[in-house]
Amino acid sequence: MGSDIPGLYNMTPEERMKRVMLETGLSVEDVEGISQGGASISILDGMIENVIGTFELPVGIATNFIMNSTERLIPMAIEEPSVVAAASKAAKIARINGGFTVSTTDQIMIGQVQICDLEDPGKARDILTGKKQELLKFANSRDPLLVKFGGGARDLEFRILDSPVGQMLIVHILVDTRDAMGANAVNTMAEALAPGLEELTGGKVVLRILSNLAVKRLATAEAIFPKEELGGKEGVDMIMKAYYLATVDPFRASTHNKGIMNGVSAVVRATGNDTRAVEAGAHSYASVSGRYLPLTEYHINENGDLVGRITLPTAVGLVGGATRVHPAAKAAIKIMGVKTASELGEVLAAVGLAQNLGALRALAREGIQRGHMKLHARNLALQAGASAEEVDEVVKRLVKSGQVSASMAVNIINDLRK
Ligand code: MEV
């Protein structure tokens, strides 16, 4: 399959879907799942409480992605214009040098158990350290299925923290959650361990819950973006200046990372995963050094090309939750062709880097409003009745006129048809 599909932009949604089916082997049943109203109300009613209806978002396909030599089409569920286009454009630039090099750590999530009211937190930590293997064995006995699939509790870590209510001992349970996001497995183990931890330490357990700062479940993507595609040396220098602002100013870093999450969250959402978990992880990871920093890093290589790199926590899964039941999520995973949670994490990293480069490239050159305006003009042209043959010309004239409005679109169409 190929992920570079020229002209996808100018097709109708039905034509695009046919092309995606051709590239990915998506079945008619899969297509029904991702088309309008794909999820039945009975599925949705089982997902949350007091269901009354649905809230639909467009799913667009980002093209041109290659990751470790694998071509992938990327479904993105998002309300914001230009995000899909920017990701596709940046991926097209990256593919000149082979696309994105991606990797992940193990898929380890962290559960926290907070033990308070200890007479001697250091002594409590030593006691628990001595019982580590027993505690891990007990935690694993609570999730035999995860263990059967090769996952399970791997280690315990201990931290003593000062707080306004005295010192507390925080136990981290490190759980390999394999292809699950893992919140359920981790929370079950944390809750199950708590009484034993109280008994062993004489302390009082308060919280027993997953941490979203998933520093042991990281994905990394790297790509080289040739200077010729970025406006030459001057363009690269502008992007570096924009990037450096994010490294020294949290006001800019916040927006820089927001742009990254435009792409990451759109993919997380399309796969039925928890956008808030990934967002909390990304932003807390951005400040793990004590300063809020950009999630991406850039440098210029010996050719003068731009090398970009991103690392972010990716608490996502392919089993459990909405990912397994929502037909659109199932179709999205098939479109990407990801087989493991780790591969999905790699997709998120590549999309995040592409999104950031796409935004920086646009911001450092013409700003982002031109791209937004083009899409707005296209929508107006179609609403005003432009045919597939007319639409490009109408958009061109609308943007050139400087008056992107519905009435102008009608005038231009009338002129064209004279
Ligand atoms: C808008 O949703 C995202 C951007 O502001 C990101 C950025 O400034 O890098 C364009």
Side-chain angles (χ1 to χ4, degrees):
M1 95 141 214
S3 70
D4 54 335
I5 311 181
L8 191 70
Y9 182 72
N10 286 321
M11 294 178 192
T12 63
E14 291 74 26
E15 288 167 344
R16 288 189 196 116
M17 184 54 106
K18 278 197 187 131
R19 189 59 202 270
V20 169
M21 286 173 82
L22 198 71
E23 294 294 341
T24 61
L26 214 62
S27 68
V28 174
E29 196 191 6
D30 296 328
V31 170
E32 278 166 7
I34 205 165
S35 61
Q36 231 181 342
S40 71
I41 197 74
S42 64
I43 290 179
L44 301 170
D45 195 30
M47 285 173 66
I48 61 163
E49 305 76 32
N50 301 348
V51 169
I52 58 161
T54 63
F55 183 100
E56 294 195 271
L57 282 176
V59 176
I61 294 288
T63 53
N64 300 317
F65 277 86
I66 303 178
M67 295 164 207
N68 290 356
S69 308
T70 302
E71 300 257 3
R72 294 194 198 279
L73 290 172
I74 316 292
M76 302 174 90
I78 186 161
E79 85 298 342
E80 186 173 330
S82 303
V83 170
V84 175
S88 305
K89 177 69 195 175
K92 190 172 180 178
I93 299 173
R95 73 187 278 133
I96 297 169
N97 283 306
F100 298 85
T101 305
V102 289
S103 60
T104 51
T105 60
D106 286 338
Q107 301 296 296
I108 304 258
M109 294 297 288
I110 299 168
Q112 295 193 292
V113 182
Q114 174 195 20
I115 312 175
C116 299
D117 306 336
L118 290 161
E119 265 174 35
D120 184 344
K123 195 169 155 208
R125 178 193 52 209
D126 294 344
I127 292 170
L128 296 184
T129 305
K131 295 277 180 191
K132 197 189 256 190
Q133 291 316 319
E134 269 170 63
L135 291 165
L136 289 172
K137 204 167 152 204
F138 176 73
N140 280 327
S141 72
R142 310 312 295 223
D143 199 337
L145 196 64
L146 182 62
V147 174
K148 189 176 147 210
F149 282 109
R154 295 278 187 258
D155 202 359
L156 299 179
E157 288 178 352
F158 305 99
R159 298 159 65 226
I160 295 171
L161 299 182
D162 289 321
S163 87
V165 289
Q167 283 199 320
M168 35 183 96
L169 174 62
I170 311 302
V171 182
H172 281 191
I173 314 165
L174 275 43
V175 185
D176 182 336
T177 61
R178 298 272 121 172
D179 290 324
M181 186 275 192
N184 277 333
V186 170
N187 291 339
T188 302
M189 286 183 184
E191 288 187 9
L193 278 175
L197 297 179
E198 280 185 339
E199 203 174 301
L200 286 166
T201 61
K204 174 88 190 109
V205 167
V206 183
L207 294 182
R208 299 143 292 165
I209 188 75
L210 176 95
S211 167
N212 283 300
L213 180 50
V215 291
K216 295 187 183 289
R217 195 179 205 176
L218 301 173
T220 297
E222 197 172 303
I224 302 169
F225 303 95
K227 60 178 177 305
E228 293 74 20
E229 300 295 322
L230 305 174
K233 181 180 178 324
E234 199 190 331
V236 171
D237 287 346
M238 294 274 278
I239 291 175
M240 286 305 284
K241 282 181 183 141
Y243 158 62
Y244 281 131
L245 175 59
T247 66
V248 295
D249 179 14
F251 285 90
R252 174 56 205 161
S254 171
T255 318
H256 180 106
N257 289 342
K258 188 273 182 186
I260 291 170
M261 299 314 287
N262 274 346
V264 173
S265 295
V267 180
V268 173
R269 193 177 295 111
T271 61
N273 273 285
D274 180 344
T275 50
R276 288 82 56 214
V278 177
E279 280 164 13
H283 292 292
S284 50
Y285 187 66
S287 44
V288 83
S289 67
R291 226 153 49 91
Y292 185 82
L293 293 172
L295 287 161
T296 47
E297 285 172 350
Y298 291 95
H299 69 266
I300 301 172
N301 71 9
E302 60 285 357
N303 287 332
D305 298 332
L306 191 67
V307 182
R309 183 184 166 90
I310 187 170
T311 297
L312 79 165
T314 50
V316 287
L318 296 184
V319 296
T323 309
R324 259 293 156 86
V325 295
H326 198 295
K330 288 196 275 187
I333 286 159
K334 277 200 181 167
I335 291 172
M336 279 187 285
V338 291
K339 299 277 186 289
T340 60
S342 155
E343 281 180 358
L344 178 54
E346 290 171 352
V347 168
L348 298 182
V351 170
L353 177 57
Q355 208 67 59
N356 184 232
L357 186 278
L360 291 181
R361 179 176 174 272
L363 289 167
R365 285 150 70 106
E366 57 189 25
I368 54 163
Q369 284 313 96
R370 215 175 104 121
H372 283 317
M373 238 351 128
K374 250 174 106 175
L375 190 72
H376 183 49
R378 192 181 156 80
N379 287 336
L380 286 176
L382 291 171
Q383 278 164 30
S387 67
E389 291 73 43
E390 292 167 335
V391 70
D392 282 347
E393 186 57 28
V394 179
V395 169
K396 210 162 103 191
R397 292 192 194 186
L398 261 176
V399 173
K400 201 166 162 217
S401 75
Q403 202 190 322
V404 184
S405 66
S407 58
M408 191 54 138
V410 172
N411 289 345
I412 292 171
I413 293 171
N414 288 341
D415 265 3
L416 264 181
R417 290 181 183 170
K418 261 185 202 154

